[in-house]
Amino acid sequence: MANHNRFVIGFILVSINVYGILARIAFEKLTDYDYRGNTYYTVKNLSLYECQGWCREEPDCQAAAFSFVLNPLIPLQETLCQLQNETSSGNPSATPQRAANMYYMSKLQLRSENVCLRPWSFERVPNKMIRGLDNALIYTSTKEACLAACLNEHRFTCRSVEYNYVTLQCQLSDTDRRTAGQFVQFVDAQGVDYFENLCLKGNQACKGNRIYQVPRIGVADDKVAQYASIHYYTDKELQVTGEAACRLACEIENEFLCRSFLYRGPPQGSQYNCQLFHLDHKTLPDGPSTYLNADRPLIDNGDRIGTYLENSCEKAATASGTSDNILPVVFETTEDSTLNNLTRSDVNCDKTGTCYDVSVNCKDTKIAVQVRTNKPFNGRVYALGRSETCNVDVANSDLFRLDLTMNGQDCNTQSVTGVYSNTVVLQHHSVVMTKADKIYKVKCTYDMSSKNITFGMMPIRDPEMISITSAPEAPPPRIRILDSNQREVETVRIGDKLTFRIEIPEDTPYGIFARSCVAMAKDSKSTFQIIDDDGCPVDATIFPAFIPDGTALQSIYEAFRFTESYGVIFQCNVKYCLGPCEPAVCEWGRDSLESWGRKKRSINNQTDEEKEDDMTLSQEILVLDFGDEKQSDYFRSDLNSAEFGKDKTVTIVEPCPTKTSVLALGVTCALLVLLYISTLFCYYMKKWLNPGKHLA
């Protein structure tokens, strides 16, 4: 098919490895396909985006296979995320397998500054192509270079790409499967893959306007809606007042390219009634026949599911009239501590002119949500679905806070693999929810190596729902040394039975492990390793293995000291686990024992960066010899007043002489005095008995 806008570049090998542009991580996604690979980590009940984000951050991860199934009894989507360090998706001759409810995401390295922050940049369809609608033909040595060329294209909007692995042809097109007004023929093509650009904004997805309508595919509307509610992954859920609001949320969605939505009817209580999807019937490999072959759900009460609408492209009337009626995509973030930059059109402001500055502080036992407004607020703030048990009434205040408990049902905080999330409603009226109210999704991610609080705000675009994520600072640990009566001690005798404890607060989601522990003399001239780098005791007869006691670690040992020093300083490297840590298995003679000295990942696989995150704790204790008295007036210590988790120092003053030594000194002095007096007496007696010699 002829195309007068077609640019043909023949027999030229184009290199996309532009100097100065570093490769950036991107992903390609396949729907309902699966490739063979080596799975090295599996975790359940992550979201699609958490699974993809985990693979993005893992250097070893090459692909992520995400699958889900709807549990009709709850109903909730139960998910499975598999990370692969080897994958056959990069092999052009590898044949993918069909898999229901599967999203396969392969990691790419693209040399383009236009790689978007969305979870995936391209949707891939293997062994398919669109015939005769390419705008540019170039030759590239790799698929990645072809995809980068699409992102870098400035002469036209590159909506799709076809790459031939045999001929190295890269065909760029402003047309995709949804383009209206042109004859789009999707055909089989062995050795050619079709890619759709998903970095496009909503107003670039079509040459003309995007419209929303029931898909006209010869399948009953209810059957399509029912299939979408069960077999589509729900990218986002909202509570909206009507179908128009649900459609608007899909139109202005910017975190992903929204293709369809399901509106379930008027709002009922706190339930979500609007679901947004990145899928439509054209994304599915079998197209409209997918709905015909679908089985009815196990639990079906016959009620209407709702209204399912897909966006499609209208035929462009003129070349310049493609986006006149498209709403602009607005992406605002609020991290400023002032509200001066907020306007009534900002996502954080409502129609009453009230603007909200919401911050999250992730603590050990709660999520503190603080709200500041530009003018006094009257109403209430509460956790969605728990308005009676988790709420705060606000009366004429511009600063207020809601504490969300992390455990129990009072606030219904949800947790998945260390990510705690909840939804907070800012409601003007004390009873009913109105369009002027705001809904914020808050999330705390507890990271084992994180020591700083990070905060970011992202609008979800109900347009009344906003997402806030934060990472908390881990609680500081401390070392305590206790006697047999569980009292903290500073001065002990050799051989006293002591309990060495490393503690963190009880109400925390963290666990701790310790390794590389040493005992040092006060002058640091002598050191003795008591726990090795793997977390095992060096000599269990002197210092036994750590065992858990709640969130603490402890070891019961007998006091020892170095020959040249009374002061003994203990030093340990401590790091966090999310939840209880797994023990190290230590060999001691013919026996094996467990010591809580490492986290779940093998210490051999630990990177240098992870090792640098260890926190070094130290504690000092004074150990006296047998027969020495404890002179508390002379051994002064600041241990009790030291800060929690800080290094502690002891000022050592040499002990006073004992009673025996004082008595011996007194006797010696008395004998010397007696000897002196006796000498004087003998001298004068001699002079008195012999006076004559003196007269002569």
Side-chain angles (χ1 to χ4, degrees), residues 223 490 507 664:
K223 193 163 188 176
E490 303 169 7
D507 298 328

Side-chain angles (χ1 to χ4, degrees), residues 47-159:
S47 72
L48 174 62
Y49 302 100
E50 288 170 335
C51 179
Q52 182 271 346
W54 197 340
C55 185
R56 179 185 293 272
E57 297 300 326
E58 282 277 339
D60 294 336
C61 183
Q62 297 301 314
F66 180 88
S67 59
F68 69 93
V69 63
L70 181 70
N71 186 337
L73 300 177
I74 304 179
L76 286 176
Q77 290 177 339
E78 298 177 352
T79 67
L80 182 68
C81 174
Q82 296 175 304
L83 303 186
Q84 297 180 352
N85 53 14
E86 294 179 4
T87 176
S88 60
S89 63
N91 183 2
S93 61
T95 302
Q97 300 175 345
R98 293 294 301 273
N101 295 1
M102 167 68 74
Y103 305 113
Y104 195 88
M105 299 166 285
S106 300
K107 185 182 289 187
L108 305 171
Q109 297 285 343
L110 301 184
R111 292 184 178 274
S112 173
E113 295 181 348
N114 299 321
V115 174
C116 58
L117 297 178
R118 289 176 174 170
W120 45 82
S121 300
F122 289 92
E123 175 85 28
R124 175 184 175 186
V125 184
N127 299 319
K128 294 286 186 180
M129 66 177 295
I130 294 177
R131 192 169 292 195
L133 293 176
D134 50 299
N135 293 71
L137 171 62
I138 61 178
Y139 289 80
T140 62
S141 57
T142 63
K143 172 188 69 177
E144 288 76 10
C146 180
L147 298 179
C150 179
L151 296 177
N152 295 330
E153 181 57 56
H154 62 275
R155 296 167 296 178
F156 56 90
T157 301
C158 180
R159 295 184 174 89

Side-chain angles (χ1 to χ4, degrees), residues 118 159 176 178 180 200-213 247-254 256-261 277-278 280 310-316 321-329:
R118 289 176 174 170
R159 295 184 174 89
D176 60 15
R178 297 165 184 83
L200 298 175
K201 295 182 179 180
N203 58 355
Q204 296 176 317
C206 295
K207 293 182 178 180
N209 292 330
R210 284 199 305 170
I211 59 174
Y212 287 82
Q213 59 186 8
R247 179 169 59 251
L248 176 62
C250 187
E251 286 178 347
I252 64 177
E253 176 57 51
N254 195 57
F256 60 94
L257 191 57
C258 181
R259 299 285 194 193
S260 62
F261 69 88
F277 310 110
H278 71 272
D280 59 9
E310 291 181 351
N311 59 52
S312 57
C313 300
E314 281 188 330
K315 183 178 179 181
T322 59
S323 59
D324 293 341
N325 298 323
I326 300 298
L327 292 177
V329 175

Side-chain angles (χ1 to χ4, degrees), residues 158-336:
C158 180
R159 295 184 174 89
S160 68
V161 180
E162 295 161 2
Y163 185 69
N164 191 315
Y165 296 94
V166 178
T167 65
L168 305 183
Q169 288 181 331
C170 174
Q171 296 173 305
L172 311 182
S173 177
D174 66 352
T175 301
D176 60 15
R177 290 176 288 181
R178 297 165 184 83
T179 301
Q182 289 178 286
F183 181 65
V184 178
Q185 185 180 6
F186 213 40
V187 297
D188 295 331
Q190 192 66 32
V192 179
D193 283 351
Y194 169 83
F195 301 86
E196 282 184 347
N197 184 1
L198 296 182
C199 283
L200 298 175
K201 295 182 179 180
N203 58 355
Q204 296 176 317
C206 295
K207 293 182 178 180
N209 292 330
R210 284 199 305 170
I211 59 174
Y212 287 82
Q213 59 186 8
V214 176
R216 300 164 185 168
I217 54 179
V219 183
D221 299 349
D222 283 351
K223 193 163 188 176
V224 177
Q226 190 175 65
Y227 183 90
S229 67
I230 298 175
H231 297 284
Y232 280 17
Y233 178 78
T234 303
D235 296 275
K236 191 164 292 185
E237 288 183 308
L238 308 169
Q239 187 179 49
V240 297
T241 56
E243 181 183 316
C246 192
R247 179 169 59 251
L248 176 62
C250 187
E251 286 178 347
I252 64 177
E253 176 57 51
N254 195 57
E255 295 177 53
F256 60 94
L257 191 57
C258 181
R259 299 285 194 193
S260 62
F261 69 88
L262 178 63
Y263 175 68
R264 292 181 173 271
Q268 297 180 359
S270 59
Q271 295 182 352
Y272 295 122
N273 60 342
C274 175
Q275 294 176 314
L276 307 184
F277 310 110
H278 71 272
L279 300 175
D280 59 9
H281 78 274
K282 293 185 177 180
T283 310
L284 305 175
D286 293 331
S289 61
T290 304
Y291 308 110
L292 294 173
N293 299 328
D295 297 329
R296 295 186 66 83
L298 296 177
I299 299 178
D300 184 9
N301 56 11
D303 293 342
R304 187 171 183 271
I305 299 298
T307 302
Y308 172 79
L309 299 179
E310 291 181 351
N311 59 52
S312 57
C313 300
E314 281 188 330
K315 183 178 179 181
T318 61
S320 61
T322 59
S323 59
D324 293 341
N325 298 323
I326 300 298
L327 292 177
V329 175
V330 182
F331 183 81
E332 299 287 347
T333 61
T334 301
E335 297 181 7
D336 193 354

Side-chain angles (χ1 to χ4, degrees), residues 642-662:
E643 285 188 49
F644 188 71
K646 300 294 184 181
D647 291 351
K648 306 171 179 61
T649 59
V650 176
T651 303
I652 300 179
V653 180
E654 292 299 326
C656 289
T658 63
K659 290 182 179 180
T660 302
S661 60
V662 172

